[in-house]
Amino acid sequence: MTETITALKARTAAAPPTLGTLGLFTVLLAAALPLIDFFIVNVALPTIGHDLAASETMLELVVAGYGLAYAVLLVLGGRLGDLFGRRRLFLGGMAAFGLTSLACGLAPSAWTLVAARVAQGAASAAMLPQVLATIQAATSGQRRAKAMGLYGATAGLSMVAGQILGGVLVAADIAGTGWRSVFLVNVPVVLVGLFLAARAVPETRSQHPEPIDGPGTVLLAVSLLTLLAPLTEGRAAGWPLWTWLSLAAFPFVAAAFYAVERRADRRGRTPLVPPSLFALTSLRRGLVMIVPFSIGFSGFMFVIAVALQQGAGRGPVAAGLALAPMAVVFFFVSLAGPRLVARYGTRVVTAGAAIQGVGVALMALAAWYSWPDLGLVELLPGAAVAGAGQALQLPVVFRIVLSEVPAARAGVGSGVMITTQQSSLALGVATLGTLFLSLVPGLGMRDALVTTLLVQLAGVALTGLLSLRLPRTIG
């Protein structure tokens, strides 16, 4: 009898962790928060600038400080989860996200807000990689495919919903909080998330924990900073000398990072980003496709917010709700994604790029013919079609990237993917945003918007071509 009980206990202890429905809901709730907060401030920036007497450069730091800290620390966050336990990092990161959101909402000055946003980005980097890593480690088969599809749907919907929610909260001016409510709203959500996570999210970690790669961590951080910092701050600061020196240093620092990681891999050590990870065809080709998609997405969201508010004279609610059709269609089409992929394979992604291209073209035509009377009705056809196309791309590409990553490296794999996405989101605001704002004085708001949309359309065409190189099926 004793032997039977002992054997039963051993089997129970060895049973793999399982992520139930409530646990999946909890991690997806957490996944939504950082992405919502990247976009939620777009429509709140004019109000923040007026209330805190912040310059344009300072307002860009409110956006860039969060994005830079988030991007730079994501891979490290994934590695720490593999090492110390993903549930532990998830809970700690979520709690820190709530506290830093409170600090943002109570910030008395622009510099205090920037510092709180940097800390909020760091908290996001600790929390978010654990979401995908937990899904990879605690699900399998069809349940994993469904969970990854829901993650992709959550990510895409969050990026659009963040801008809508920001407009609604600023206009509602709840209890006189104004723009502060876009940060304070996170606090009760985090409290609910912590309560649920403590009960429903299982602990997972790598069976063979790998130590932190100090030199690789520093060089990756410096690489991303030398690229993203000058691009996000250069235009508002007038492109001072440091921006050009930083951009010139980027290829050398990136090359040094690759050399250090490759040498560590050859010597049997554990690099922060193992070069062997990029031997996975699905990961490598999926990451390449995420770059132009995310650049176009974030650039569009920033540009349309500025154009509708400063050019078309729309308020924050109208500017946010103009994208509601995109969010609604994205959500419903993404739910059909797994069935379409099972039937047609990854050619669904190519079809999605073509559909998105039609949507962007329709929005460019609407801007050309309707300006300055551009709003929900005029953008509705294009936004809805573009949302459908995006829904057939983003969730599927996320699944492809992580489909061959072993569970032991789920944290670093998800960290690499989200770092690529987040860096590209920051690049989108920096490149397309800078292009748009630079064109406005010479061309006017309408022509600058149409030109930027046409540039985005070229990016959509590129994603469509890249999708032809994806594996035909997802493992």
Side-chain angles (χ1 to χ4, degrees):
M1 182 67 177
T2 303
E3 292 178 359
T4 302
I5 293 173
T6 302
L8 181 61
K9 287 181 177 179
R11 284 196 298 272
T12 302
T18 302
L19 185 67
T21 301
L22 183 60
L24 179 60
F25 169 80
T26 305
V27 296
L28 291 179
L29 176 68
L33 290 173
L35 287 169
I36 285 174
D37 262 62
F38 184 84
F39 290 94
I40 201 169
V41 298
N42 279 350
V43 292
L45 287 176
T47 312
I48 293 173
H50 180 268
D51 192 30
L52 298 182
S55 64
E56 184 182 356
T57 302
M58 190 64 67
L59 291 176
E60 288 206 0
L61 278 174
V62 171
V63 178
Y66 175 84
L68 287 173
Y70 187 16
V72 164
L73 297 172
L74 272 166
V75 177
L76 178 61
R79 176 56 60 81
L80 290 172
D82 288 346
L83 184 63
F84 296 112
R86 293 155 190 151
R87 181 176 181 271
R88 181 180 300 176
L89 262 291
F90 179 79
L91 290 169
M94 182 178 276
F97 186 86
L99 290 172
T100 52
S101 296
L102 181 63
C104 289
L106 299 178
S109 66
W111 276 114
T112 308
L113 178 59
V114 169
R117 283 284 281 174
V118 171
Q120 190 185 36
S124 299
M127 175 177 64
L128 190 58
Q130 320 316 325
V131 173
L132 282 168
T134 299
I135 290 174
Q136 285 288 96
T139 60
S140 60
Q142 282 299 112
R143 183 165 180 79
R144 178 183 294 174
K146 181 179 179 181
M148 287 301 301
L150 287 172
Y151 173 85
T154 300
L157 186 61
S158 299
M159 290 189 283
V160 181
Q163 207 140 301
I164 298 171
L165 181 62
V168 172
L169 287 173
V170 170
D173 194 20
I174 302 170
T177 54
W179 61 266
R180 298 178 186 276
S181 60
V182 305
F183 302 113
L184 296 176
V185 71
N186 292 329
V187 177
V189 177
V190 165
L191 292 175
V192 172
L194 288 171
F195 176 81
L196 295 176
R199 288 156 177 77
V201 176
E203 178 65 282
T204 63
R205 69 179 72 201
S206 174
Q207 295 299 313
H208 305 286
E210 300 167 333
I212 299 300
D213 171 18
T217 300
V218 172
L219 284 171
L220 176 62
V222 175
S223 297
L224 291 172
L225 284 171
T226 54
L227 175 65
L228 297 178
L231 287 177
T232 53
E233 288 300 304
R235 187 199 62 81
W239 297 105
L241 179 62
W242 72 265
T243 59
W244 299 108
L245 293 176
S246 181
L247 287 171
F250 167 69
F252 298 101
V253 181
F257 169 69
Y258 178 75
V260 166
E261 298 298 273
R262 191 175 181 185
R263 184 167 64 248
D265 214 8
R266 286 178 172 175
R267 294 182 177 180
R269 299 173 186 167
T270 306
L272 180 70
V273 181
S276 57
L277 204 62
F278 293 92
L280 302 174
T281 302
S282 57
L283 180 137
R284 186 175 65 251
R285 293 182 180 177
L287 288 179
V288 169
M289 192 179 161
I290 283 175
V291 173
F293 180 92
S294 299
I295 287 174
F297 193 101
S298 65
F300 166 77
M301 297 296 286
F302 175 79
V303 167
I304 201 69
V306 174
L308 289 177
Q309 290 189 92
Q310 297 184 11
R314 305 290 179 182
V317 174
L321 290 180
L323 299 177
M326 181 181 288
V328 172
V329 173
F330 185 103
F331 176 73
F332 285 107
V333 174
S334 64
L335 295 180
R339 291 193 298 274
L340 292 173
V341 171
R343 184 171 181 179
Y344 300 108
T346 58
R347 288 299 172 259
V348 167
V349 179
T350 308
I355 294 169
Q356 183 189 2
V358 172
V360 173
L362 288 173
M363 286 190 286
L365 288 172
W368 179 264
Y369 287 108
S370 301
W371 190 265
D373 300 318
L374 189 65
L376 172 62
V377 175
E378 293 76 18
L379 288 172
L380 192 152
V385 173
Q390 291 162 350
L392 294 176
Q393 296 176 80
L394 191 63
V396 182
V397 173
F398 281 167
R399 279 182 59 190
I400 291 169
V401 169
L402 296 178
S403 60
E404 295 180 308
V405 176
R409 286 185 164 175
V412 66
S414 61
V416 168
M417 185 183 79
I418 303 168
T419 297
T420 303
Q421 182 198 25
Q422 183 61 37
S423 300
S424 301
L425 290 174
L427 277 173
V429 174
T431 54
L432 290 182
T434 297
L435 172 66
F436 170 73
L437 294 173
S438 300
L439 291 174
V440 168
L443 298 181
M445 191 73 74
R446 184 197 69 171
D447 290 359
L449 174 60
V450 172
T451 302
T452 307
L453 287 173
L454 292 177
V455 172
Q456 187 198 356
L457 187 58
V460 173
L462 177 59
T463 61
L465 292 173
L466 290 172
S467 71
L468 296 174
R469 301 183 68 246
L470 295 173
R472 291 301 298 268
T473 59
I474 304 177

